[in-house]
mmCIF file with all atom_site columns, all heavy atoms in Angstrom:
data_model
loop_
_atom_site.group_PDB
_atom_site.id
_atom_site.type_symbol
_atom_site.label_atom_id
_atom_site.label_alt_id
_atom_site.label_comp_id
_atom_site.label_asym_id
_atom_site.label_entity_id
_atom_site.label_seq_id
_atom_site.pdbx_PDB_ins_code
_atom_site.Cartn_x
_atom_site.Cartn_y
_atom_site.Cartn_z
_atom_site.occupancy
_atom_site.B_iso_or_equiv
_atom_site.pdbx_formal_charge
_atom_site.auth_seq_id
_atom_site.auth_comp_id
_atom_site.auth_asym_id
_atom_site.auth_atom_id
_atom_site.pdbx_PDB_model_num
ATOM 1   N N   . LYS A 1 4   ? 84.888 64.905 130.330 1.00 77.00 ? 22  LYS A N   1
ATOM 2   C CA  . LYS A 1 4   ? 85.306 66.269 130.647 1.00 77.00 ? 22  LYS A CA  1
ATOM 3   C C   . LYS A 1 4   ? 84.164 67.061 131.237 1.00 77.00 ? 22  LYS A C   1
ATOM 4   O O   . LYS A 1 4   ? 83.097 67.081 130.707 1.00 77.00 ? 22  LYS A O   1
ATOM 5   C CB  . LYS A 1 4   ? 85.703 66.964 129.301 1.00 77.00 ? 22  LYS A CB  1
ATOM 6   C CG  . LYS A 1 4   ? 87.171 66.592 128.920 1.00 77.00 ? 22  LYS A CG  1
ATOM 7   C CD  . LYS A 1 4   ? 87.499 67.495 127.705 1.00 77.00 ? 22  LYS A CD  1
ATOM 8   C CE  . LYS A 1 4   ? 88.907 66.980 127.263 1.00 77.00 ? 22  LYS A CE  1
ATOM 9   N NZ  . LYS A 1 4   ? 89.108 67.220 125.795 1.00 77.00 ? 22  LYS A NZ  1
ATOM 10  N N   . ASN A 1 5   ? 84.448 67.841 132.237 1.00 87.00 ? 23  ASN A N   1
ATOM 11  C CA  . ASN A 1 5   ? 83.409 68.611 132.846 1.00 87.00 ? 23  ASN A CA  1
ATOM 12  C C   . ASN A 1 5   ? 83.384 70.065 132.261 1.00 87.00 ? 23  ASN A C   1
ATOM 13  O O   . ASN A 1 5   ? 84.372 70.579 131.841 1.00 87.00 ? 23  ASN A O   1
ATOM 14  C CB  . ASN A 1 5   ? 83.652 68.796 134.369 1.00 87.00 ? 23  ASN A CB  1
ATOM 15  C CG  . ASN A 1 5   ? 83.660 67.429 134.963 1.00 87.00 ? 23  ASN A CG  1
ATOM 16  O OD1 . ASN A 1 5   ? 82.840 66.600 134.597 1.00 87.00 ? 23  ASN A OD1 1
ATOM 17  N ND2 . ASN A 1 5   ? 84.485 67.246 135.963 1.00 87.00 ? 23  ASN A ND2 1
ATOM 18  N N   . TRP A 1 6   ? 82.216 70.580 132.200 1.00 94.00 ? 24  TRP A N   1
ATOM 19  C CA  . TRP A 1 6   ? 82.055 72.004 131.739 1.00 94.00 ? 24  TRP A CA  1
ATOM 20  C C   . TRP A 1 6   ? 82.781 72.979 132.712 1.00 94.00 ? 24  TRP A C   1
ATOM 21  O O   . TRP A 1 6   ? 82.713 72.998 133.889 1.00 94.00 ? 24  TRP A O   1
ATOM 22  C CB  . TRP A 1 6   ? 80.591 72.443 131.747 1.00 94.00 ? 24  TRP A CB  1
ATOM 23  C CG  . TRP A 1 6   ? 79.685 71.647 130.735 1.00 94.00 ? 24  TRP A CG  1
ATOM 24  C CD1 . TRP A 1 6   ? 80.210 70.785 129.791 1.00 94.00 ? 24  TRP A CD1 1
ATOM 25  C CD2 . TRP A 1 6   ? 78.330 71.846 130.583 1.00 94.00 ? 24  TRP A CD2 1
ATOM 26  N NE1 . TRP A 1 6   ? 79.142 70.398 129.046 1.00 94.00 ? 24  TRP A NE1 1
ATOM 27  C CE2 . TRP A 1 6   ? 77.938 70.972 129.480 1.00 94.00 ? 24  TRP A CE2 1
ATOM 28  C CE3 . TRP A 1 6   ? 77.386 72.544 131.161 1.00 94.00 ? 24  TRP A CE3 1
ATOM 29  C CZ2 . TRP A 1 6   ? 76.636 70.912 129.011 1.00 94.00 ? 24  TRP A CZ2 1
ATOM 30  C CZ3 . TRP A 1 6   ? 76.035 72.474 130.685 1.00 94.00 ? 24  TRP A CZ3 1
ATOM 31  C CH2 . TRP A 1 6   ? 75.723 71.633 129.729 1.00 94.00 ? 24  TRP A CH2 1
ATOM 32  N N   . SER A 1 26  ? 78.421 82.420 139.794 1.00 95.00 ? 44  SER A N   1
ATOM 33  C CA  . SER A 1 26  ? 79.103 81.635 138.779 1.00 95.00 ? 44  SER A CA  1
ATOM 34  C C   . SER A 1 26  ? 78.185 80.508 138.327 1.00 95.00 ? 44  SER A C   1
ATOM 35  O O   . SER A 1 26  ? 77.157 80.202 138.892 1.00 95.00 ? 44  SER A O   1
ATOM 36  C CB  . SER A 1 26  ? 80.379 81.067 139.387 1.00 95.00 ? 44  SER A CB  1
ATOM 37  O OG  . SER A 1 26  ? 80.207 80.440 140.631 1.00 95.00 ? 44  SER A OG  1
ATOM 38  N N   . HIS A 1 28  ? 78.369 76.719 135.479 1.00 97.00 ? 46  HIS A N   1
ATOM 39  C CA  . HIS A 1 28  ? 79.127 75.897 134.502 1.00 97.00 ? 46  HIS A CA  1
ATOM 40  C C   . HIS A 1 28  ? 78.481 75.970 133.121 1.00 97.00 ? 46  HIS A C   1
ATOM 41  O O   . HIS A 1 28  ? 77.311 76.065 132.992 1.00 97.00 ? 46  HIS A O   1
ATOM 42  C CB  . HIS A 1 28  ? 79.091 74.396 134.950 1.00 97.00 ? 46  HIS A CB  1
ATOM 43  C CG  . HIS A 1 28  ? 79.975 74.207 136.205 1.00 97.00 ? 46  HIS A CG  1
ATOM 44  N ND1 . HIS A 1 28  ? 81.271 73.839 136.105 1.00 97.00 ? 46  HIS A ND1 1
ATOM 45  C CD2 . HIS A 1 28  ? 79.634 74.307 137.502 1.00 97.00 ? 46  HIS A CD2 1
ATOM 46  C CE1 . HIS A 1 28  ? 81.770 73.651 137.332 1.00 97.00 ? 46  HIS A CE1 1
ATOM 47  N NE2 . HIS A 1 28  ? 80.819 74.035 138.237 1.00 97.00 ? 46  HIS A NE2 1
ATOM 48  N N   . ARG A 1 45  ? 66.119 86.178 136.051 1.00 93.00 ? 63  ARG A N   1
ATOM 49  C CA  . ARG A 1 45  ? 64.719 85.631 135.917 1.00 93.00 ? 63  ARG A CA  1
ATOM 50  C C   . ARG A 1 45  ? 63.665 86.643 136.136 1.00 93.00 ? 63  ARG A C   1
ATOM 51  O O   . ARG A 1 45  ? 62.497 86.583 135.840 1.00 93.00 ? 63  ARG A O   1
ATOM 52  C CB  . ARG A 1 45  ? 64.394 84.371 136.665 1.00 93.00 ? 63  ARG A CB  1
ATOM 53  C CG  . ARG A 1 45  ? 65.016 83.116 136.121 1.00 93.00 ? 63  ARG A CG  1
ATOM 54  C CD  . ARG A 1 45  ? 64.415 81.873 136.764 1.00 93.00 ? 63  ARG A CD  1
ATOM 55  N NE  . ARG A 1 45  ? 64.603 81.861 138.224 1.00 93.00 ? 63  ARG A NE  1
ATOM 56  C CZ  . ARG A 1 45  ? 65.712 81.597 138.839 1.00 93.00 ? 63  ARG A CZ  1
ATOM 57  N NH1 . ARG A 1 45  ? 66.740 81.260 138.259 1.00 93.00 ? 63  ARG A NH1 1
ATOM 58  N NH2 . ARG A 1 45  ? 65.692 81.606 140.116 1.00 93.00 ? 63  ARG A NH2 1
ATOM 59  N N   . ARG A 1 46  ? 64.071 87.831 136.904 1.00 93.00 ? 64  ARG A N   1
ATOM 60  C CA  . ARG A 1 46  ? 63.104 88.718 137.307 1.00 93.00 ? 64  ARG A CA  1
ATOM 61  C C   . ARG A 1 46  ? 63.576 90.195 136.939 1.00 93.00 ? 64  ARG A C   1
ATOM 62  O O   . ARG A 1 46  ? 63.574 91.109 137.771 1.00 93.00 ? 64  ARG A O   1
ATOM 63  C CB  . ARG A 1 46  ? 62.814 88.668 138.780 1.00 93.00 ? 64  ARG A CB  1
ATOM 64  C CG  . ARG A 1 46  ? 62.038 87.411 139.200 1.00 93.00 ? 64  ARG A CG  1
ATOM 65  C CD  . ARG A 1 46  ? 61.947 87.341 140.632 1.00 93.00 ? 64  ARG A CD  1
ATOM 66  N NE  . ARG A 1 46  ? 61.104 86.171 141.160 1.00 93.00 ? 64  ARG A NE  1
ATOM 67  C CZ  . ARG A 1 46  ? 61.372 85.011 141.073 1.00 93.00 ? 64  ARG A CZ  1
ATOM 68  N NH1 . ARG A 1 46  ? 62.645 84.640 140.684 1.00 93.00 ? 64  ARG A NH1 1
ATOM 69  N NH2 . ARG A 1 46  ? 60.596 83.972 141.497 1.00 93.00 ? 64  ARG A NH2 1
ATOM 70  N N   . ASP B 2 77  ? 62.691 78.276 139.551 1.00 97.00 ? 200 ASP B N   1
ATOM 71  C CA  . ASP B 2 77  ? 63.376 78.850 140.674 1.00 97.00 ? 200 ASP B CA  1
ATOM 72  C C   . ASP B 2 77  ? 64.242 77.913 141.476 1.00 97.00 ? 200 ASP B C   1
ATOM 73  O O   . ASP B 2 77  ? 65.296 78.175 141.873 1.00 97.00 ? 200 ASP B O   1
ATOM 74  C CB  . ASP B 2 77  ? 62.424 79.593 141.623 1.00 97.00 ? 200 ASP B CB  1
ATOM 75  C CG  . ASP B 2 77  ? 62.063 81.010 141.138 1.00 97.00 ? 200 ASP B CG  1
ATOM 76  O OD1 . ASP B 2 77  ? 62.703 81.550 140.225 1.00 97.00 ? 200 ASP B OD1 1
ATOM 77  O OD2 . ASP B 2 77  ? 61.175 81.576 141.791 1.00 97.00 ? 200 ASP B OD2 1
ATOM 78  N N   . SER B 2 87  ? 77.238 76.559 143.241 1.00 96.00 ? 210 SER B N   1
ATOM 79  C CA  . SER B 2 87  ? 78.344 77.512 143.049 1.00 96.00 ? 210 SER B CA  1
ATOM 80  C C   . SER B 2 87  ? 78.987 78.052 144.358 1.00 96.00 ? 210 SER B C   1
ATOM 81  O O   . SER B 2 87  ? 80.160 78.035 144.408 1.00 96.00 ? 210 SER B O   1
ATOM 82  C CB  . SER B 2 87  ? 77.832 78.748 142.283 1.00 96.00 ? 210 SER B CB  1
ATOM 83  O OG  . SER B 2 87  ? 77.345 78.290 141.019 1.00 96.00 ? 210 SER B OG  1
ATOM 84  N N   . GLU B 2 90  ? 81.097 75.423 145.872 1.00 97.00 ? 213 GLU B N   1
ATOM 85  C CA  . GLU B 2 90  ? 82.356 75.137 144.999 1.00 97.00 ? 213 GLU B CA  1
ATOM 86  C C   . GLU B 2 90  ? 83.397 76.084 145.461 1.00 97.00 ? 213 GLU B C   1
ATOM 87  O O   . GLU B 2 90  ? 84.637 75.804 145.251 1.00 97.00 ? 213 GLU B O   1
ATOM 88  C CB  . GLU B 2 90  ? 82.080 75.286 143.518 1.00 97.00 ? 213 GLU B CB  1
ATOM 89  C CG  . GLU B 2 90  ? 81.400 74.143 142.864 1.00 97.00 ? 213 GLU B CG  1
ATOM 90  C CD  . GLU B 2 90  ? 81.036 74.304 141.429 1.00 97.00 ? 213 GLU B CD  1
ATOM 91  O OE1 . GLU B 2 90  ? 81.837 74.121 140.602 1.00 97.00 ? 213 GLU B OE1 1
ATOM 92  O OE2 . GLU B 2 90  ? 79.885 74.550 141.218 1.00 97.00 ? 213 GLU B OE2 1
ATOM 93  N N   . ASP B 2 97  ? 80.972 67.923 140.360 1.00 94.00 ? 220 ASP B N   1
ATOM 94  C CA  . ASP B 2 97  ? 80.854 66.398 140.222 1.00 94.00 ? 220 ASP B CA  1
ATOM 95  C C   . ASP B 2 97  ? 80.987 65.673 141.504 1.00 94.00 ? 220 ASP B C   1
ATOM 96  O O   . ASP B 2 97  ? 80.292 64.715 141.706 1.00 94.00 ? 220 ASP B O   1
ATOM 97  C CB  . ASP B 2 97  ? 81.979 65.980 139.212 1.00 94.00 ? 220 ASP B CB  1
ATOM 98  C CG  . ASP B 2 97  ? 81.458 65.995 137.771 1.00 94.00 ? 220 ASP B CG  1
ATOM 99  O OD1 . ASP B 2 97  ? 80.709 67.009 137.461 1.00 94.00 ? 220 ASP B OD1 1
ATOM 100 O OD2 . ASP B 2 97  ? 81.657 65.095 136.918 1.00 94.00 ? 220 ASP B OD2 1
ATOM 101 N N   . GLU B 2 160 ? 63.253 85.529 146.404 1.00 92.00 ? 283 GLU B N   1
ATOM 102 C CA  . GLU B 2 160 ? 62.486 84.880 145.332 1.00 92.00 ? 283 GLU B CA  1
ATOM 103 C C   . GLU B 2 160 ? 61.348 83.882 145.910 1.00 92.00 ? 283 GLU B C   1
ATOM 104 O O   . GLU B 2 160 ? 60.445 83.592 145.235 1.00 92.00 ? 283 GLU B O   1
ATOM 105 C CB  . GLU B 2 160 ? 63.384 84.121 144.367 1.00 92.00 ? 283 GLU B CB  1
ATOM 106 C CG  . GLU B 2 160 ? 64.353 84.994 143.699 1.00 92.00 ? 283 GLU B CG  1
ATOM 107 C CD  . GLU B 2 160 ? 65.335 84.371 142.717 1.00 92.00 ? 283 GLU B CD  1
ATOM 108 O OE1 . GLU B 2 160 ? 65.305 83.070 142.605 1.00 92.00 ? 283 GLU B OE1 1
ATOM 109 O OE2 . GLU B 2 160 ? 66.056 85.124 141.981 1.00 92.00 ? 283 GLU B OE2 1
ATOM 110 N N   . ARG B 2 299 ? 75.791 66.613 127.679 1.00 95.00 ? 422 ARG B N   1
ATOM 111 C CA  . ARG B 2 299 ? 76.937 67.381 128.257 1.00 95.00 ? 422 ARG B CA  1
ATOM 112 C C   . ARG B 2 299 ? 78.156 67.130 127.403 1.00 95.00 ? 422 ARG B C   1
ATOM 113 O O   . ARG B 2 299 ? 79.010 68.037 127.129 1.00 95.00 ? 422 ARG B O   1
ATOM 114 C CB  . ARG B 2 299 ? 77.186 66.999 129.651 1.00 95.00 ? 422 ARG B CB  1
ATOM 115 C CG  . ARG B 2 299 ? 76.030 67.344 130.574 1.00 95.00 ? 422 ARG B CG  1
ATOM 116 C CD  . ARG B 2 299 ? 76.344 67.233 132.109 1.00 95.00 ? 422 ARG B CD  1
ATOM 117 N NE  . ARG B 2 299 ? 76.750 65.816 132.406 1.00 95.00 ? 422 ARG B NE  1
ATOM 118 C CZ  . ARG B 2 299 ? 75.804 64.908 132.778 1.00 95.00 ? 422 ARG B CZ  1
ATOM 119 N NH1 . ARG B 2 299 ? 74.573 65.176 132.716 1.00 95.00 ? 422 ARG B NH1 1
ATOM 120 N NH2 . ARG B 2 299 ? 76.160 63.734 133.144 1.00 95.00 ? 422 ARG B NH2 1
ATOM 121 N N   . GLU B 2 307 ? 84.796 72.624 122.001 1.00 94.00 ? 430 GLU B N   1
ATOM 122 C CA  . GLU B 2 307 ? 86.116 72.449 121.616 1.00 94.00 ? 430 GLU B CA  1
ATOM 123 C C   . GLU B 2 307 ? 86.388 72.532 120.063 1.00 94.00 ? 430 GLU B C   1
ATOM 124 O O   . GLU B 2 307 ? 87.440 73.143 119.702 1.00 94.00 ? 430 GLU B O   1
ATOM 125 C CB  . GLU B 2 307 ? 86.573 71.051 121.983 1.00 94.00 ? 430 GLU B CB  1
ATOM 126 C CG  . GLU B 2 307 ? 86.978 71.016 123.530 1.00 94.00 ? 430 GLU B CG  1
ATOM 127 C CD  . GLU B 2 307 ? 87.059 69.597 124.049 1.00 94.00 ? 430 GLU B CD  1
ATOM 128 O OE1 . GLU B 2 307 ? 86.908 68.577 123.297 1.00 94.00 ? 430 GLU B OE1 1
ATOM 129 O OE2 . GLU B 2 307 ? 87.376 69.444 125.296 1.00 94.00 ? 430 GLU B OE2 1
#
Side-chain angles (χ1 to χ4, degrees):
Chain A
K22 276 190 187 150
N23 297 323
W24 290 357
S44 51
H46 289 269
R63 286 193 301 281
R64 288 175 175 79
Chain B
D200 272 352
S210 299
E213 277 173 87
D220 270 38
E283 298 183 352
R422 296 193 297 277
E430 279 168 359

